Amino acid sequence: MVLKKFQTEYGKIHIQILGQSDWKIDNNSKMENTQFIGIRDFIHNAVNHPHDKMYSARQVHGGRILNSSELQSNTEEEGDGLCSYHTSHLLYIKTADCLPLFFWSDTNPVFGVLHIGWKGASLHFVEDFFLKMKIEMPEISFWNILFGPSISMKNYTVQEDVAVYFQDGVNSLQKFTDGFKLGVKEYVNEKLENLPCSFHFYDLGICTYEDNNFFSHRRKCLGRNLNLIWTT
């Protein structure tokens, strides 16, 4: 388990990642780890948050970011990110090797979490979101960004059909004998740093492929890590 807390002007941001060691199940067992009701019960037992204030998405490797105020807590709409303006809401996404990106403002009650795989990174939906927020909320002088557990660049091999989308990466794509090493986190970081926005970056530096405390698709795990963000 990973738990981080950050003080803001409107309360405390809580970021918690529940991985394989928290579920206490092996690589080959799904159990309730990927089931909607089982996940919500597990979160409730872990952090004591009410079920009707939890929000998630049916992730599709796209670029849609959902506003929790427009969602029903007991259902999942298609999307790959969640944003909230309600301090009573808990948001969560599921990952195995993809990148969970948490964000929040220190001054305005707005926070969220994004699910980013190579397809999402190639769509540039993360950059588009923060450019949109710059227009809609210009009073926010900077954003906090935290990169959660994901597969590291050295352990993520792709071929030309994927690498072609990341040719503009400076330090996020490396060619070698059997293909390319792709750093989704490094690519997203590069793109955000080039925006006309200010960010304060945090990086947990955890590779899901190497750390057995977390589920990894490349290690043939069937379960998913739960990436939670909420306020108190």
Side-chain angles (χ1 to χ4, degrees):
M1 179 186 74
V2 173
L3 175 61
K4 296 291 184 181
K5 299 179 182 180
F6 301 89
Q7 189 63 49
T8 71
E9 293 183 10
Y10 52 88
K12 189 172 291 184
I13 288 284
H14 298 253
I15 294 174
Q16 190 160 340
I17 300 106
L18 301 169
Q20 183 169 343
S21 59
D22 301 292
W23 283 92
K24 297 180 174 61
I25 60 179
D26 61 35
N27 285 354
N28 300 315
S29 179
K30 282 189 177 181
M31 294 178 65
E32 295 181 332
N33 181 264
T34 58
Q35 300 173 11
F36 182 69
I37 299 301
I39 286 175
R40 293 162 71 83
D41 287 342
F42 185 75
I43 292 174
H44 174 74
N45 292 332
V47 304
N48 195 32
H49 203 88
H51 289 72
D52 63 350
K53 299 296 183 182
M54 297 180 192
Y55 296 86
S56 61
R58 189 166 67 256
Q59 297 160 207
V60 293
H61 292 275
R64 186 183 181 199
I65 299 175
L66 305 171
N67 184 334
S68 66
S69 63
E70 300 173 353
L71 302 176
Q72 297 294 322
S73 177
N74 61 351
T75 62
E76 288 184 315
E77 291 190 24
E78 287 189 355
D80 283 275
L82 296 152
C83 178
S84 183
Y85 302 89
H86 297 275
T87 55
S88 64
H89 290 184
L90 179 149
L91 314 178
Y92 70 91
I93 61 167
K94 304 175 287 292
T95 59
D97 285 322
C98 290
L99 174 67
L101 183 154
F102 301 90
F103 65 89
W104 68 97
S105 165
D106 279 345
T107 56
N108 295 56
V110 53
F111 59 94
V113 59
L114 310 178
H115 159 256
I116 310 168
W118 74 262
K119 289 183 180 179
S122 71
L123 294 173
H124 300 284
F125 82 98
V126 183
E127 303 98 285
D128 291 343
F129 172 74
F130 284 107
L131 288 174
K132 177 183 175 183
M133 295 300 283
K134 181 178 177 63
I135 295 172
E136 294 182 354
M137 305 187 75
E139 69 275 16
I140 295 179
S141 58
F142 73 94
W143 291 93
N144 295 290
I145 301 287
L146 185 144
F147 297 121
S150 65
I151 192 167
S152 61
M153 182 173 175
K154 67 178 180 179
N155 292 311
Y156 188 32
T157 301
V158 300
Q159 299 305 314
E160 181 70 35
D161 60 327
V162 173
V164 67
Y165 295 103
F166 300 94
Q167 297 299 320
D168 59 338
V170 178
N171 297 305
S172 52
L173 187 70
Q174 297 177 356
K175 184 173 177 53
F176 74 114
T177 305
D178 297 323
F180 298 82
K181 296 294 185 181
L182 172 63
V184 172
K185 177 175 63 178
E186 288 79 3
Y187 187 77
V188 171
N189 193 103
E190 288 176 5
K191 292 303 176 182
L192 290 178
E193 287 186 333
N194 287 328
L195 295 183
C197 308
S198 295
F199 298 97
H200 187 170
F201 292 100
Y202 301 88
D203 186 357
L204 295 181
I206 297 173
C207 174
T208 49
Y209 183 78
E210 296 178 350
D211 193 330
N212 290 330
N213 289 310
F214 300 92
F215 294 104
S216 168
H217 178 73
R218 293 267 169 141
R219 288 202 330 266
K220 309 301 182 184
C221 298
L222 299 178
R224 295 293 180 266
N225 307 304
L226 303 180
N227 303 270
L228 323 177
I229 183 168
W230 73 99
T231 66
T232 57

